Amino acid sequence: MVRPGLEVADIFRGHGAAWRNTNRGRMSLDQLKVMSAIESCRTVALGGHVARCEGCAHTVIAYNSCRNRHCPKCQGAAARAWMAARETELLPVSYFHVVFTLPSAIGDIAYYNKAVIYALLFSASAETMLTIAADPRHLGARIGITSVSHTWGSAMTHHPHVHMIVPGGGLAKDGSRWVSCKPNFCLPVRVLSKLFRRLMLTKLAAAHAAGKLQFFGAHAHLTAAKAFAAFLAPLRKTRWFVYAKRPFAGPKAVLAYLSRYTHRVAISNRRLIALNEQSVTFKVKDYRIEGPGRYTTMTLDIGEFIRRFLSHVLPKGFHRIRHYGLFASTNRTETIKAVRKLLDLAPSAAEQTSGTDPGQPLAHSCPHCGGRMVIIETFEAGCQPRHQPATPVVVIPIDTS
């Protein structure tokens, strides 16, 4: 794998200490931990191992990864592992991509109430889909949902929304048959929008009444019940954004899509272009524009770049991937088997081999001669390896997670 020329880690290592000092007392412990993890990822600070080719003695030093879910370098391996576990759940039916987005006014108060409002976004959007799908006027079936929370726009501004992957159909109420969606149509987005709006506003009012929301600065007055009710009132009359894309080309396309979305962070290293002592330049996408013109660049002050990146650090213990309906964790395996039986399908290969010993993973091959690379040394965090390459080579940070 070719390492990007510029990484978020480079920005943190070069400017993170000064930023922390300037913003002392205004950062959460979780944000500090994320910065530290990214700065240390795949460096001697975390230790690693030395691998040598049995044929030509080519030697590589591989540093350990931090495995932090906000680290741009660690998400590739995490996504692959997660997708391998999801493969048995794919069905040979059309899949739809549905997006639920919070209005900017609610996004503003969500910034200081992340755990509460992000959870409400998950529950309100899932309840909306399950309710409308169960309605005989629409589908009349129990569907499965995989939801992924994203909190950013292309410019890393705060933009809370949920991406859903939904099979094009569901189980009939009595569980006796599979009910398919209409071709190229999942559920009516205007109906979804209205119910989502009602459910979300109801849940927000309940959370406020229970004292679960905090307000600061320009929103401090919303602590009062009447002020919060007045704040929500205009939102009851506006249209909320719910978007449904065309169905995917097939289950494999769903896997490819999910691998890009499930473990995405606020910005990938591939989007970074340039860094100097004052600013960072990176690629952005304007989703309102179609065609090549939607891709452009943005330059931010280094401090603002770091602030925006860290604003998307999730609360500790918050799950950003959740499953509902047929895919709820309590009955997922049994339900998938029942659905496959109704669709008259044989068990998937992964299902047939579940519980058996998968064997040892294949060893990495030498990039020079193709020989087998074997680990000859492991070294602890903060320690230098005893074995060094005989000739100068580039030390490649291999993901060992």
Side-chain angles (χ1 to χ4, degrees):
M1 180 183 294
V2 178
R3 179 181 178 182
L6 178 62
E7 299 180 347
V8 171
D10 298 323
I11 300 171
F12 282 4
R13 290 171 192 146
H15 304 273
W19 193 87
R20 283 190 289 263
N21 185 58
T22 301
N23 294 272
R24 193 181 304 275
R26 289 182 285 181
M27 299 176 63
S28 70
L29 179 59
D30 289 336
Q31 290 174 326
L32 288 170
K33 288 181 177 179
V34 168
M35 287 193 77
S36 177
I38 292 175
E39 288 168 345
S40 301
C41 188
R42 300 183 191 181
T43 70
V44 68
L46 297 182
H49 67 262
V50 181
R52 178 172 292 170
C53 175
E54 291 182 319
C56 69
H58 172 69
T59 303
V60 172
I61 301 174
Y63 296 121
N64 292 333
S65 56
C66 67
R67 304 187 187 185
N68 189 286
R69 61 175 172 169
H70 299 94
C71 176
K73 284 188 291 191
C74 289
Q75 300 316 299
R80 289 190 293 272
W82 188 85
M83 289 312 305
R86 300 280 80 76
E87 190 171 2
T88 60
E89 299 168 4
L90 286 177
L91 301 171
V93 298
S94 59
Y95 278 77
F96 293 86
H97 174 202
V98 184
V99 182
F100 287 81
T101 302
L102 289 178
S104 58
I106 296 179
D108 290 343
I109 63 173
Y111 190 85
Y112 296 103
N113 296 277
K114 294 179 180 179
V116 175
I117 295 184
Y118 293 173
L120 295 183
L121 172 58
F122 264 125
S123 61
S125 57
E127 187 177 342
T128 296
M129 290 292 292
L130 294 171
T131 300
I132 300 303
D135 190 332
R137 293 174 295 178
H138 301 293
L139 184 63
R142 183 166 176 257
I143 61 173
I145 302 170
T146 295
S147 292
V148 183
S149 172
H150 282 188
T151 63
W152 56 84
S154 183
M156 293 195 296
T157 51
H158 191 235
H159 178 62
H161 56 286
V162 162
H163 292 267
M164 288 184 173
I165 303 300
V166 185
L171 278 178
K173 188 175 181 179
D174 60 3
S176 63
R177 60 191 178 89
W178 177 262
V179 181
S180 297
C181 291
K182 297 177 182 178
N184 298 325
F185 182 80
C186 181
L187 294 169
V189 292
R190 285 187 176 271
V191 176
L192 293 173
S193 176
K194 290 180 180 179
L195 180 57
F196 174 54
R197 178 180 62 189
R198 178 167 63 82
L199 289 175
M200 191 68 198
L201 290 175
T202 299
K203 292 176 184 293
L204 280 170
H208 186 278
K212 296 181 179 179
L213 301 179
Q214 301 180 67
F215 304 99
F216 304 92
H219 295 101
H221 67 288
L222 296 181
T223 302
K226 288 185 178 181
F228 190 68
F231 171 78
L232 296 182
L235 297 173
R236 301 182 187 279
K237 301 177 182 179
T238 59
R239 183 181 176 184
W240 287 33
F241 183 79
V242 177
Y243 179 63
K245 289 187 176 181
R246 294 178 180 177
F248 293 97
K252 290 185 179 180
V254 177
L255 276 175
Y257 177 85
L258 277 177
S259 67
R260 296 195 303 270
Y261 267 79
T262 52
H263 292 74
R264 183 175 289 183
V265 297
I267 189 169
S268 67
N269 289 327
R270 292 190 300 273
R271 290 175 54 199
L272 300 177
I273 298 175
L275 170 69
N276 57 40
E277 290 301 314
Q278 290 78 38
S279 62
V280 183
T281 301
F282 55 98
K283 301 174 185 177
V284 295
K285 182 192 297 185
D286 189 338
Y287 291 92
R288 298 168 297 181
I289 300 175
E290 294 295 335
R294 73 189 320 191
Y295 298 96
T296 183
T297 62
M298 173 177 285
T299 299
L300 291 178
D301 174 81
I302 290 175
E304 176 61 13
F305 178 92
I306 295 176
R307 186 199 69 79
R308 291 193 188 187
F309 184 92
L310 294 178
S311 71
H312 303 291
V313 171
L314 294 173
K316 183 178 180 180
F318 187 87
H319 297 282
R320 68 173 180 179
I321 305 173
R322 306 188 184 191
H323 307 277
Y324 300 92
L326 300 180
F327 298 155
S329 59
T330 53
N331 61 353
R332 182 163 55 218
T333 302
E334 294 74 13
T335 302
I336 294 300
K337 289 181 179 179
V339 170
R340 294 183 70 87
K341 185 175 182 180
L342 288 173
L343 292 172
D344 196 25
L345 294 171
S348 66
E351 287 177 327
Q352 291 175 333
T353 58
S354 62
T356 61
D357 184 4
Q360 295 297 318
L362 294 176
H364 291 289
S365 299
C366 174
H368 293 293
C369 70
R372 190 165 72 104
M373 300 290 290
V374 295
I375 296 176
I376 60 173
E377 176 193 354
T378 59
F379 53 95
E380 298 297 324
C383 298
Q384 292 288 347
R386 297 188 307 275
H387 295 83
Q388 297 289 339
T391 57
V393 298
V394 176
V395 178
I396 304 174
I398 299 175
D399 185 0
T400 60
S401 60

XYZ file of all heavy atoms in Angstrom, residues 10-93:
639
model
N 0.426 13.838 10.543
C 1.483 14.826 10.346
C 1.066 16.193 10.883
O 1.874 16.919 11.476
C 1.818 14.947 8.856
C 2.344 13.647 8.268
O 3.085 12.950 8.975
O 2.006 13.349 7.105
N -0.195 16.535 10.681
C -0.720 17.819 11.161
C -0.730 17.839 12.682
O -0.325 18.823 13.317
C -2.125 18.061 10.591
C -2.077 18.084 9.059
C -2.725 19.354 11.139
C -3.432 18.099 8.393
N -1.180 16.748 13.285
C -1.230 16.669 14.743
C 0.171 16.689 15.350
O 0.416 17.349 16.365
C -1.972 15.413 15.178
C -3.471 15.516 15.079
C -4.079 16.634 14.542
C -4.282 14.494 15.532
C -5.460 16.739 14.459
C -5.667 14.577 15.465
C -6.248 15.709 14.915
N 1.102 15.966 14.738
C 2.453 15.904 15.295
C 3.160 17.258 15.192
O 3.913 17.644 16.087
C 3.278 14.837 14.578
C 2.844 13.410 14.888
C 3.548 12.417 13.987
N 2.929 11.094 14.080
C 2.840 10.239 13.070
N 3.328 10.558 11.873
N 2.259 9.059 13.230
N 2.906 17.961 14.112
C 3.583 19.228 13.910
C 2.953 20.405 14.631
O 3.639 21.351 15.009
N 1.625 20.346 14.828
C 0.918 21.516 15.367
C -0.010 21.191 16.536
O -0.613 22.096 17.092
C 0.109 22.172 14.248
C 0.944 22.548 13.052
N 1.608 23.742 12.958
C 1.233 21.859 11.908
C 2.263 23.798 11.805
N 2.055 22.665 11.149
N -0.136 19.910 16.873
C -1.056 19.523 17.935
C -0.683 20.072 19.299
O -1.554 20.524 20.060
N 0.593 20.070 19.644
C 1.016 20.545 20.965
C 0.664 22.009 21.163
O 0.143 22.398 22.225
C 2.519 20.326 21.136
N 0.930 22.829 20.145
C 0.604 24.258 20.244
C -0.899 24.467 20.335
O -1.379 25.325 21.087
C 1.174 25.002 19.032
N -1.653 23.657 19.583
C -3.115 23.804 19.603
C -3.668 23.401 20.964
O -4.556 24.062 21.494
C -3.727 22.952 18.495
C -5.170 23.274 18.254
C -5.686 24.226 17.432
C -6.295 22.613 18.847
N -7.055 24.217 17.470
C -7.463 23.245 18.325
C -6.444 21.570 19.759
C -8.738 22.845 18.705
C -7.718 21.180 20.130
C -8.846 21.811 19.598
N -3.138 22.339 21.535
C -3.589 21.904 22.859
C -3.296 22.974 23.910
O -4.107 23.210 24.810
C -2.919 20.580 23.239
C -3.514 19.358 22.564
C -2.977 18.070 23.173
N -1.588 17.860 22.824
C -1.173 17.088 21.810
N -2.064 16.489 21.043
N 0.112 16.936 21.556
N -2.141 23.596 23.788
C -1.777 24.618 24.749
C -2.694 25.839 24.630
O -3.133 26.399 25.644
C -0.320 25.041 24.528
C 0.165 26.016 25.580
O 0.147 25.716 26.771
N 0.611 27.191 25.148
N -3.030 26.215 23.418
C -3.918 27.363 23.189
C -5.334 27.076 23.665
O -6.034 27.972 24.151
C -3.933 27.731 21.697
O -2.609 28.044 21.277
C -4.849 28.926 21.434
N -5.775 25.828 23.519
C -7.149 25.462 23.837
C -7.254 24.677 25.142
O -8.220 23.923 25.332
C -7.750 24.647 22.688
C -7.912 25.461 21.424
O -8.924 26.113 21.215
N -6.897 25.423 20.556
N -6.305 24.867 26.007
C -6.312 24.171 27.291
C -7.610 24.471 28.053
O -8.017 25.627 28.174
C -5.116 24.603 28.132
C -4.848 23.725 29.350
C -3.651 24.262 30.121
N -2.462 24.371 29.289
C -1.624 23.361 29.067
N -1.874 22.168 29.602
N -0.556 23.534 28.298
N -8.263 23.409 28.535
C -9.507 23.573 29.284
C -10.750 23.567 28.416
O -11.863 23.527 28.923
N -10.569 23.600 27.088
C -11.718 23.604 26.187
C -11.827 22.318 25.379
O -12.656 22.205 24.480
C -11.630 24.799 25.228
C -11.881 26.129 25.916
C -11.833 27.279 24.925
N -10.468 27.588 24.524
C -10.153 28.566 23.667
N -11.126 29.299 23.129
N -8.889 28.806 23.358
N -10.984 21.356 25.696
C -11.011 20.067 25.009
C -11.493 18.990 25.965
O -11.206 19.031 27.155
C -9.614 19.693 24.506
C -9.001 20.646 23.509
S -7.320 20.125 23.124
C -7.621 18.521 22.377
N -12.212 18.033 25.422
C -12.657 16.911 26.243
C -11.535 15.877 26.347
O -10.601 15.855 25.535
C -13.890 16.257 25.626
O -13.555 15.568 24.424
N -11.634 15.010 27.335
C -10.643 13.945 27.506
C -10.651 13.025 26.285
O -9.595 12.563 25.840
C -10.944 13.149 28.777
C -10.002 11.982 29.082
C -8.565 12.468 29.228
C -10.452 11.259 30.359
N -11.833 12.770 25.735
C -11.933 11.910 24.553
C -11.181 12.518 23.377
O -10.512 11.804 22.613
C -13.404 11.696 24.172
C -14.139 10.814 25.170
O -13.478 10.023 25.859
O -15.375 10.930 25.265
N -11.279 13.834 23.188
C -10.572 14.490 22.094
C -9.063 14.412 22.284
O -8.318 14.173 21.328
C -11.028 15.944 21.983
C -12.456 16.098 21.470
C -12.930 17.531 21.510
O -12.567 18.293 22.402
N -13.767 17.913 20.547
N -8.616 14.596 23.513
C -7.186 14.483 23.799
C -6.674 13.075 23.500
O -5.573 12.898 22.964
C -6.913 14.845 25.263
C -7.047 16.324 25.635
C -6.984 16.496 27.149
C -5.936 17.142 24.973
N -7.460 12.074 23.858
C -7.065 10.690 23.609
C -6.993 10.405 22.114
O -6.097 9.674 21.654
C -8.051 9.740 24.289
C -7.930 9.694 25.806
C -8.923 8.698 26.397
C -8.757 8.594 27.911
N -9.739 7.642 28.499
N -7.913 10.958 21.343
C -7.900 10.754 19.896
C -6.651 11.375 19.287
O -5.969 10.767 18.450
C -9.172 11.331 19.247
C -9.028 11.395 17.727
C -10.380 10.477 19.607
N -6.324 12.592 19.700
C -5.120 13.238 19.189
C -3.878 12.412 19.502
O -3.022 12.183 18.634
C -4.968 14.633 19.800
C -5.934 15.672 19.280
S -5.461 17.360 19.768
C -4.124 17.679 18.618
N -3.777 11.941 20.734
C -2.619 11.153 21.143
C -2.519 9.859 20.354
O -1.430 9.453 19.932
C -2.708 10.855 22.644
O -1.635 10.035 23.057
N -3.664 9.195 20.148
C -3.669 7.931 19.406
C -3.216 8.135 17.969
O -2.398 7.367 17.446
C -5.067 7.318 19.443
N -3.728 9.167 17.304
C -3.377 9.419 15.911
C -1.903 9.801 15.783
O -1.214 9.383 14.850
C -4.290 10.512 15.323
C -5.735 9.980 15.217
C -3.794 10.967 13.950
C -6.747 11.009 14.752
N -1.411 10.587 16.726
C 0.002 10.987 16.705
C 0.927 9.775 16.859
O 2.015 9.726 16.279
C 0.276 11.997 17.817
C -0.326 13.370 17.548
C -0.304 14.273 18.772
O -0.086 13.753 19.899
O -0.496 15.486 18.616
N 0.505 8.796 17.654
C 1.352 7.628 17.938
C 1.164 6.492 16.950
O 1.993 5.572 16.902
C 1.056 7.105 19.350
O 1.284 8.100 20.315
N 0.102 6.529 16.168
C -0.253 5.394 15.303
C 0.880 5.027 14.349
O 1.435 5.870 13.655
C -1.514 5.730 14.514
S -2.169 4.328 13.590
N 1.242 3.755 14.361
C 2.256 3.190 13.494
C 3.604 3.908 13.619
O 4.269 4.217 12.636
C 1.777 3.166 12.041
C 0.512 2.330 11.883
C 0.058 2.222 10.467
N -1.280 1.647 10.409
C -1.943 1.420 9.286
N -1.397 1.711 8.134
N -3.153 0.909 9.311
N 3.953 4.173 14.862
C 5.267 4.727 15.181
C 5.902 3.852 16.251
O 5.255 2.964 16.827
C 5.165 6.170 15.706
O 4.558 6.157 17.010
C 4.357 7.050 14.767
N 7.152 4.129 16.572
C 7.858 3.361 17.578
C 7.169 3.469 18.935
O 7.338 2.602 19.808
C 9.325 3.838 17.664
C 9.406 5.243 18.226
C 10.175 2.871 18.467
N 6.352 4.507 19.120
C 5.677 4.704 20.401
C 4.748 3.553 20.746
O 4.460 3.315 21.925
C 4.885 6.019 20.376
N 4.276 2.815 19.744
C 3.347 1.712 19.990
C 4.000 0.340 19.819
O 3.328 -0.681 19.948
C 2.130 1.815 19.056
C 1.262 3.056 19.224
C 0.067 3.006 18.267
C 0.773 3.181 20.666
N 5.298 0.321 19.519
C 5.954 -0.961 19.320
C 5.611 -1.557 17.969
O 5.001 -0.921 17.113
N 6.016 -2.802 17.761
C 5.731 -3.447 16.481
C 6.492 -4.737 16.326
O 6.792 -5.423 17.299
N 6.803 -5.091 15.079
C 7.572 -6.307 14.828
C 8.471 -6.112 13.609
O 8.301 -5.165 12.836
C 6.643 -7.518 14.618
C 5.821 -7.438 13.365
N 4.519 -7.008 13.345
C 6.146 -7.740 12.077
C 4.052 -7.047 12.111
N 5.016 -7.492 11.315
N 9.418 -7.025 13.471
C 10.324 -7.033 12.325
C 10.067 -8.313 11.547
O 10.051 -9.409 12.118
C 11.800 -6.970 12.772
C 12.729 -6.964 11.558
C 12.040 -5.747 13.643
N 9.851 -8.173 10.242
C 9.624 -9.338 9.383
C 10.761 -9.453 8.373
O 11.260 -8.443 7.857
C 8.284 -9.205 8.662
N 11.190 -10.697 8.116
C 12.292 -10.932 7.173
C 11.906 -12.024 6.178
O 11.267 -13.015 6.544
C 13.550 -11.320 7.931
C 14.761 -11.625 7.037
C 16.016 -11.806 7.866
N 16.400 -10.522 8.481
C 17.338 -10.393 9.405
N 17.977 -11.478 9.853
N 17.647 -9.215 9.899
N 12.298 -11.816 4.928
C 12.006 -12.796 3.884
C 12.914 -14.012 4.034
O 14.135 -13.874 4.214
C 12.197 -12.166 2.501
S 12.005 -13.340 1.138
N 12.327 -15.210 3.963
C 13.111 -16.439 4.073
C 14.011 -16.653 2.867
O 15.005 -17.370 2.953
C 12.170 -17.635 4.216
C 11.432 -17.696 5.537
C 10.557 -18.923 5.661
O 9.892 -19.286 4.660
O 10.530 -19.517 6.757
N 13.670 -16.000 1.742
C 14.457 -16.196 0.538
C 15.589 -15.212 0.380
O 16.764 -15.595 0.348
N 15.265 -13.912 0.304
C 16.292 -12.902 0.010
C 16.697 -12.086 1.224
O 17.528 -11.172 1.103
C 15.811 -11.976 -1.094
S 14.437 -10.895 -0.607
N 16.132 -12.367 2.378
C 16.461 -11.675 3.639
C 16.025 -10.218 3.654
O 16.481 -9.440 4.488
C 17.942 -11.792 3.953
N 15.148 -9.834 2.734
C 14.590 -8.471 2.776
C 13.877 -8.281 4.120
O 13.095 -9.123 4.549
C 13.600 -8.273 1.631
C 12.838 -6.987 1.713
N 13.425 -5.765 1.529
C 11.519 -6.753 1.959
C 12.511 -4.810 1.664
N 11.344 -5.389 1.919
N 14.169 -7.170 4.796
C 13.675 -6.941 6.149
C 12.791 -5.698 6.197
O 13.121 -4.668 5.593
C 14.844 -6.772 7.129
O 15.671 -7.937 7.051
C 14.340 -6.601 8.560
N 11.700 -5.811 6.912
C 10.747 -4.702 7.043
C 10.414 -4.511 8.513
O 10.168 -5.486 9.240
C 9.447 -4.975 6.255
C 8.413 -3.903 6.563
C 9.717 -5.009 4.768
N 10.405 -3.270 8.956
C 9.960 -2.940 10.308
C 8.516 -2.470 10.222
O 8.196 -1.542 9.475
C 10.830 -1.834 10.927
C 12.299 -2.278 10.989
C 10.327 -1.478 12.324
C 13.239 -1.184 11.445
N 7.636 -3.128 10.952
C 6.204 -2.800 10.924
C 5.766 -2.324 12.304
O 5.884 -3.050 13.282
C 5.387 -4.019 10.508
N 5.283 -1.102 12.379
C 4.826 -0.544 13.645
C 3.343 -0.823 13.857
O 2.565 -0.885 12.900
C 5.079 0.960 13.679
C 6.540 1.334 13.619
C 7.027 2.138 12.599
C 7.433 0.881 14.583
C 8.366 2.482 12.542
C 8.778 1.216 14.526
C 9.241 2.016 13.505
O 10.566 2.344 13.452
N 2.948 -0.963 15.104
C 1.560 -1.265 15.434
C 0.645 -0.061 15.199
O 1.066 1.091 15.308
C 1.435 -1.705 16.889
C 2.087 -3.044 17.149
O 2.199 -3.869 16.238
N 2.544 -3.263 18.362
N -0.611 -0.359 14.912
C -1.607 0.697 14.711
C -2.324 0.985 16.030
O -2.350 0.155 16.936
C -2.619 0.279 13.644
O -3.225 -0.946 13.998
N -2.921 2.180 16.130
C -3.559 2.580 17.384
C -4.957 1.985 17.544
O -5.486 1.913 18.639
C -3.647 4.110 17.458
S -4.767 4.871 16.251
N -5.597 1.603 16.445
C -6.938 1.005 16.429
C -8.027 1.950 16.917
O -9.136 1.523 17.232
C -6.979 -0.290 17.247
C -5.960 -1.327 16.815
C -6.161 -2.643 17.545
N -5.094 -3.577 17.258
C -5.065 -4.838 17.681
N -6.059 -5.299 18.411
N -4.061 -5.623 17.390
N -7.725 3.223 16.992
C -8.758 4.186 17.402
C -9.747 4.376 16.262
O -9.347 4.525 15.104
C -8.097 5.516 17.773
C -9.066 6.476 18.420
O -9.934 7.058 17.770
N -8.937 6.663 19.725
N -11.031 4.392 16.567
C -12.050 4.455 15.513
C -12.095 5.791 14.793
O -12.791 5.917 13.784
C -13.430 4.135 16.088
C -13.907 5.092 17.172
C -15.325 4.738 17.565
N -15.796 5.480 18.730
C -17.060 5.488 19.132
N -17.964 4.809 18.458
N -17.411 6.165 20.206
N -11.365 6.799 15.293
C -11.311 8.092 14.624
C -10.035 8.267 13.809
O -9.854 9.307 13.176
C -11.422 9.222 15.653
C -12.698 9.205 16.429
N -12.811 8.582 17.653
C -13.919 9.710 16.165
C -14.048 8.713 18.100
N -14.735 9.393 17.227
N -9.159 7.286 13.822
C -7.886 7.382 13.116
C -8.059 7.036 11.639
O -8.528 5.937 11.316
C -6.858 6.442 13.751
S -5.274 6.412 12.870
N -7.676 7.933 10.725
C -7.846 7.648 9.292
C -7.080 6.422 8.820
O -7.499 5.747 7.884
C -7.314 8.921 8.611
C -7.428 9.996 9.644
C -7.166 9.302 10.953
N -5.937 6.102 9.454
C -5.119 4.987 8.993
C -5.622 3.630 9.455
O -5.252 2.607 8.880
C -3.672 5.174 9.475
C -2.902 6.208 8.706
C -1.435 6.239 9.077
C -1.212 6.765 10.465
N 0.222 7.050 10.732
N -6.428 3.594 10.493
C -6.825 2.311 11.084
C -8.164 1.786 10.575
O -8.560 0.683 10.945
C -6.891 2.439 12.608
S -5.268 2.597 13.370
N -8.858 2.557 9.773
C -10.216 2.157 9.428
C -10.302 1.135 8.304
O -11.308 0.444 8.171
C -11.049 3.393 9.078
C -11.152 4.388 10.225
C -11.434 3.713 11.548
O -12.448 3.055 11.712
N -10.519 3.858 12.499
N -9.274 1.036 7.474
C -9.319 0.064 6.381
C -9.440 -1.362 6.880
O -10.331 -2.107 6.465
N -8.560 -1.743 7.797
C -8.594 -3.102 8.341
C -9.860 -3.341 9.143
O -10.469 -4.423 9.071
C -7.366 -3.349 9.213
N -10.301 -2.330 9.905
C -11.521 -2.473 10.696
C -12.730 -2.663 9.797
O -13.614 -3.478 10.081
C -11.708 -1.235 11.581
N -12.767 -1.928 8.688
C -13.890 -2.052 7.758
C -13.914 -3.430 7.106
O -14.980 -4.041 6.947
C -13.807 -0.963 6.689
N -12.739 -3.942 6.727
C -12.694 -5.259 6.094
C -13.165 -6.348 7.045
O -13.902 -7.270 6.656
C -11.273 -5.549 5.594
C -10.859 -4.717 4.399
C -9.553 -5.211 3.810
N -8.424 -5.006 4.708
C -7.699 -3.893 4.760
N -7.999 -2.878 3.966
N -6.675 -3.791 5.596
N -12.755 -6.267 8.295
C -13.174 -7.266 9.278
C -14.679 -7.191 9.513
O -15.368 -8.216 9.618
C -12.416 -7.052 10.593
N -15.197 -5.975 9.604
C -16.634 -5.801 9.840
C -17.439 -6.322 8.657
O -18.467 -6.977 8.832
C -16.936 -4.328 10.084
C -18.342 -4.050 10.519
C -18.841 -4.098 11.787
C -19.442 -3.685 9.680
N -20.181 -3.780 11.788
C -20.577 -3.522 10.508
C -19.574 -3.482 8.306
C -21.825 -3.165 10.011
C -20.812 -3.124 7.800
C -21.926 -2.966 8.659
N -16.967 -6.038 7.439
C -17.700 -6.477 6.254
C -17.681 -7.990 6.115
O -18.656 -8.593 5.657
C -17.105 -5.828 5.012
C -17.395 -4.332 4.899
S -19.137 -3.928 5.184
C -19.921 -4.972 3.987
N -16.588 -8.628 6.503
C -16.525 -10.094 6.439
C -17.582 -10.697 7.356
O -18.221 -11.706 7.022
C -15.136 -10.574 6.840
N -17.808 -10.053 8.504
C -18.821 -10.550 9.440
C -20.228 -10.319 8.911
O -21.166 -11.037 9.260
C -18.650 -9.860 10.796
N -20.409 -9.301 8.062
C -21.736 -8.974 7.544
C -22.100 -9.771 6.294
O -23.239 -9.770 5.851
C -21.814 -7.477 7.186
C -21.566 -6.530 8.353
C -22.804 -6.373 9.234
N -22.976 -7.457 10.149
C -22.250 -7.621 11.260
N -21.296 -6.789 11.571
N -22.498 -8.635 12.060
N -21.125 -10.435 5.701
C -21.351 -11.069 4.411
C -22.470 -12.107 4.460
O -23.235 -12.267 3.503
C -20.055 -11.714 3.912
C -20.139 -12.191 2.479
C -18.782 -12.620 1.938
O -17.803 -12.573 2.706
O -18.722 -12.992 0.764
N -22.605 -12.817 5.565
C -23.633 -13.852 5.667
C -25.040 -13.273 5.712
O -26.009 -13.989 5.534
C -23.418 -14.705 6.934
O -23.479 -13.853 8.084
C -22.077 -15.407 6.888
N -25.156 -11.956 5.953
C -26.473 -11.338 6.077
C -27.010 -10.808 4.750
O -28.170 -10.408 4.661
C -26.412 -10.193 7.095
C -26.004 -10.661 8.484
C -25.672 -9.505 9.403
O -25.832 -8.339 8.974
O -25.258 -9.766 10.547
N -26.175 -10.799 3.715
C -26.623 -10.276 2.432
C -27.640 -11.204 1.779
O -27.507 -12.428 1.819
C -25.426 -10.094 1.500
C -24.517 -8.905 1.806
C -23.334 -8.899 0.852
C -25.282 -7.603 1.707
N -28.637 -10.606 1.184
C -29.680 -11.358 0.505
C -29.691 -10.990 -0.977
O -29.346 -9.862 -1.333
C -31.043 -11.037 1.120
C -31.203 -11.339 2.610
C -32.514 -10.763 3.139
C -31.137 -12.842 2.857
N -30.092 -11.907 -1.854
C -30.113 -11.622 -3.292
C -31.353 -10.807 -3.688
O -32.166 -11.226 -4.520
C -30.132 -13.023 -3.903
C -30.881 -13.837 -2.909
C -30.476 -13.300 -1.565
N -31.495 -9.657 -3.083
C -32.612 -8.755 -3.391
C -32.025 -7.362 -3.612
O -30.850 -7.115 -3.339
C -33.636 -8.706 -2.229
C -34.241 -10.077 -1.987
C -32.994 -8.173 -0.951
